Amino acid sequence: MDTCQTIKLMPGEYWWGGVINDGALMPFGKSDYSRNLRHIDDNQATPLLLSNKGRFVWSDEPFAFSFHEDELLIQQANSPIITGQEHHTLAEVFNHVSRTYFPSSGKFPDPLAFISPQYNTWVEMFYEPTQDKIIQYAQSILDHGLPPGVLIIDDNWMIDYGNWKFNKERFPNPKEMVRILHQLGFKIMLWVCPYVSPDSAVFRMLQRKDYLLKSKDGTPALRQWWNGYSAMIDYSLEAAAEWFLEQLDDLVTSYAIDGFKFDAGEPVIPDADDFSKPVLWHNTLPLNDDCHAFAKLGTKYPLSEYRMSWKNGGQSLIQRQRDKAHTWERGGLADLIPNGIAQGLMGYAYNCPDMIGGGLDGDFNSSDFQFDSELFVRYAQCSALFPVMQFSLAPWRVLHDEQLNYCLDIVKLREQLGPEILQLAQQSATTGAPIMRHLDFVFPNEGYALVGDQFMLGDQILVAPVLLKGQTSRQIHFPTGTWIGDDGSVVQGPALEEIQAPLSRLPWYRKA
């Protein structure tokens, strides 16, 4: 089936949807844009478009779409295109599509993820985490006045990809390590991925069991990813998926691990260039549904984080934005708010803006890397009132004096508002509503569709971080109502006001 539809845009109509990493280009309709959802190798995605005029487009399988002048063109669809025009606002159409196509599971992640920051070992340790380093990192968090939270042990804690046992050379007593971390108040997640290192004992065992994705000639397919070439579990096989979960369950029961960071998971395109030969799933999967199946595995655990998802809206999964660069521009700080808004509108309510200051190892390991302390503080401020915030680079190591205090102050704000964020997470588990909301979602038809540098936390808190280097003030759109600022000021909306925002301040306002 190859269906094609052309939709005439209404005056003032703008659209969101598709791939989350394109959030900075949303809303669509203001300029030309095209995307084929057959290729979503960079972040969460959903075969959904929805507009501020209450219209939507949905298909169960990927489709291509483009905006040009006053038209939306849908094509290359392999399943029926469903459209709706019976709603009038962004919130109304979201409520309809979420109930219909990705209803909330009724569950939400562990409350600690919303009350306190997360801490990830990646930037501090990269591929060299050890038991001693992790305990020291956790103790340093507390010693510098930050609260305990979820601690993620990133890549290379294990023996090998697919061999999900602690490497005893780096972790001589992981059970004792987890006990100490729990005693300090942390909950522990471990990094995992869907790959299996070739020419290993686990690879040979899985090959005998017929659990690996195969080339069409019957040999295991090897996929190129950022850590080389690896085989891949065939998630179309229930037994293969169960084997993977058994490895994770063993970590839970043996070491009291609290959850997992499920990395990679990009969907396999059967004839893609990153395979030496075309591949074939054991049981036929629609395109991108292997990514969907991998993300479903995480719903078993109270703490699961994903960077890649396909049609997994409404689930109790923390959804992290694509790895961010240490930059003010696109790919860094500038992407956080529009991408976060897009995550919520696609059903990924429990969203995380990646690691504060950025998480690309190529940034921090390059010979010409220059750390920007102002950027780090503004990054922390922008992240603080997202549903989930995550540190990795230790602020006490890179910041000094006043700037470190600004960072500590923003964490105190997170602790202060954490219970409200948790309450919104609980509500989202029932209603599916985003926690982080576009202004047009809360205040429809007031002219805010193109405002992409501020957001609402629920319906009552307006957040407007500074996102430009050297800026100590910014314009803020205040919707209808009375707004009480973090500095005690009162603004009567609707209004557009220039607000002072020195480096010490994250401007946020509560609706009276």
Side-chain angles (χ1 to χ4, degrees):
M1 178 186 296
D2 187 2
T3 60
C4 180
Q5 288 193 32
T6 299
I7 298 173
K8 189 82 169 177
L9 302 188
M10 301 178 183
E13 183 175 28
Y14 298 99
W15 295 72
W16 291 260
V19 177
I20 298 307
N21 201 51
D22 285 353
L25 303 175
M26 300 176 200
F28 307 130
K30 57 189 177 183
S31 59
D32 287 358
Y33 172 89
S34 62
R35 178 57 110 144
N36 191 333
L37 296 180
R38 289 175 57 89
H39 307 285
I40 58 163
D41 60 348
D42 42 18
N43 226 166
Q44 303 92 26
T46 298
L48 169 68
L49 299 170
L50 42 75
S51 90
N52 63 326
K53 298 299 183 181
R55 299 201 288 179
F56 75 91
V57 175
W58 172 272
S59 184
D60 286 329
E61 296 190 48
F63 56 85
F65 65 97
S66 60
F67 288 85
H68 178 64
E69 295 181 347
D70 61 350
E71 288 185 342
L72 163 59
L73 175 63
I74 309 292
Q75 55 189 345
Q76 297 182 36
N78 292 323
S79 60
I81 296 292
I82 302 169
T83 61
Q85 301 185 15
E86 64 269 29
H87 308 284
H88 300 93
T89 68
L90 186 59
E92 287 176 358
V93 71
F94 172 84
N95 290 335
H96 170 74
V97 298
S98 65
R99 287 193 304 265
T100 305
Y101 302 111
F102 42 89
S104 180
S105 68
K107 300 192 300 181
F108 58 95
D110 188 291
L112 188 60
F114 305 105
I115 294 173
S116 291
Q118 288 185 333
Y119 306 94
N120 189 304
T121 65
W122 175 244
V123 178
E124 287 298 300
M125 304 174 201
F126 290 117
Y127 291 102
E128 299 179 357
T130 68
Q131 181 169 326
D132 289 343
K133 285 181 186 177
I134 288 165
I135 293 173
Q136 182 181 2
Y137 181 54
Q139 188 62 59
S140 294
I141 290 169
L142 304 182
D143 291 346
H144 288 89
L146 282 77
V150 176
L151 196 157
I152 302 172
I153 301 175
D154 217 286
D155 195 356
N156 216 26
W157 60 269
M158 66 290 172
I159 294 174
D160 203 353
Y161 300 117
N163 192 344
W164 303 111
K165 309 289 184 185
F166 277 97
N167 184 321
K168 290 301 180 71
E169 291 184 4
R170 294 192 297 272
F171 295 86
N173 192 343
K175 190 171 185 178
E176 176 64 8
M177 176 190 70
V178 175
R179 186 195 68 78
I180 292 171
L181 295 172
H182 280 164
Q183 191 173 45
L184 293 175
F186 294 89
K187 293 194 174 181
I188 311 304
M189 296 172 66
L190 295 177
W191 182 97
V192 294
C193 70
Y195 295 120
V196 179
S197 293
D199 297 328
S200 66
V202 173
F203 172 88
R204 291 188 289 274
M205 178 271 293
L206 293 174
Q207 184 180 15
R208 289 194 301 271
K209 288 180 176 288
D210 203 22
Y211 287 176
L212 297 175
L213 183 64
K214 292 180 181 178
S215 300
K216 289 186 177 179
D217 64 3
T219 61
L222 297 184
R223 186 177 201 189
Q224 184 179 14
W225 61 303
W226 64 82
N227 280 333
Y229 287 84
S230 297
M232 186 174 180
I233 298 289
D234 185 341
Y235 293 105
S236 73
L237 279 171
E238 184 177 349
E242 287 178 353
W243 174 86
F244 184 76
L245 289 174
E246 285 170 3
Q247 313 314 302
L248 306 189
D249 290 346
D250 183 66
L251 291 162
V252 173
T253 57
S254 298
Y255 303 106
I257 297 301
D258 300 292
F260 301 93
K261 173 182 174 177
F262 294 83
D263 208 355
E266 286 81 354
V268 173
I269 299 174
D271 56 354
D273 293 337
D274 60 353
F275 285 92
S276 58
K277 304 166 189 173
V279 299
L280 192 66
W281 293 99
H282 186 277
N283 297 312
T284 302
L285 286 173
L287 193 63
N288 296 347
D289 270 31
D290 55 312
C291 180
H292 175 73
F294 183 55
K296 282 177 63 178
L297 300 177
T299 61
K300 183 175 182 179
Y301 305 102
L303 284 167
S304 294
E305 180 192 283
Y306 282 86
R307 176 181 55 81
M308 288 298 307
S309 284
W310 170 253
K311 294 197 304 185
N312 292 105
Q315 300 301 311
S316 58
L317 306 172
I318 296 169
Q319 302 283 355
R320 177 176 61 88
Q321 291 189 28
R322 183 180 181 177
D323 297 14
K324 293 292 181 284
H326 187 75
T327 178
W328 297 85
E329 310 301 329
R330 281 288 320 272
L333 179 61
D335 280 0
L336 299 191
I337 292 175
N339 288 8
I341 287 169
Q343 284 175 311
L345 290 174
M346 296 299 100
Y348 305 121
Y350 312 117
N351 52 315
C352 173
D354 196 41
M355 303 165 194
I356 290 168
L360 285 177
D361 59 338
D363 280 359
F364 297 98
N365 288 330
S366 65
S367 58
D368 59 348
F369 173 70
Q370 293 185 343
F371 176 75
D372 186 335
S373 58
E374 180 190 358
L375 172 62
F376 191 93
V377 173
R378 293 303 196 190
Y379 225 113
Q381 292 172 348
C382 185
S383 303
L385 298 184
F386 269 63
V388 178
M389 69 180 298
Q390 185 178 119
F391 284 100
S392 187
L393 185 64
W396 59 86
R397 186 170 66 82
V398 294
L399 300 177
H400 303 284
D401 303 327
E402 285 186 335
Q403 291 178 338
L404 177 58
N405 287 331
Y406 298 157
C407 203
L408 296 176
D409 287 343
I410 209 65
V411 173
K412 290 176 183 175
L413 173 63
R414 175 67 184 209
E415 290 185 274
Q416 173 190 335
L417 296 183
E420 290 186 55
I421 298 174
L422 173 59
Q423 187 175 38
L424 288 169
Q426 293 169 328
Q427 292 172 2
S428 183
T430 301
T431 67
I435 299 170
M436 178 181 181
R437 300 171 187 172
H438 196 284
L439 264 65
D440 201 278
F441 189 96
V442 183
F443 300 96
N445 303 315
E446 292 194 20
Y448 300 123
L450 297 180
V451 177
D453 62 352
Q454 58 186 81
F455 64 93
M456 296 294 299
L457 178 62
D459 286 343
Q460 302 299 319
I461 295 177
L462 183 150
V463 187
V466 170
L467 304 173
L468 298 176
K469 185 172 179 61
Q471 190 177 53
T472 56
S473 67
R474 62 155 293 167
Q475 288 191 329
I476 299 179
H477 295 268
F478 292 92
T480 301
T482 302
W483 299 91
I484 302 173
D486 58 289
D487 60 351
S489 61
V490 178
V491 178
Q492 188 66 44
L496 177 63
E497 298 280 348
E498 184 79 16
I499 299 297
Q500 294 303 305
L503 188 57
S504 59
R505 184 185 182 201
L506 165 65
W508 66 279
Y509 295 78
R510 187 183 297 276
K511 189 176 181 184

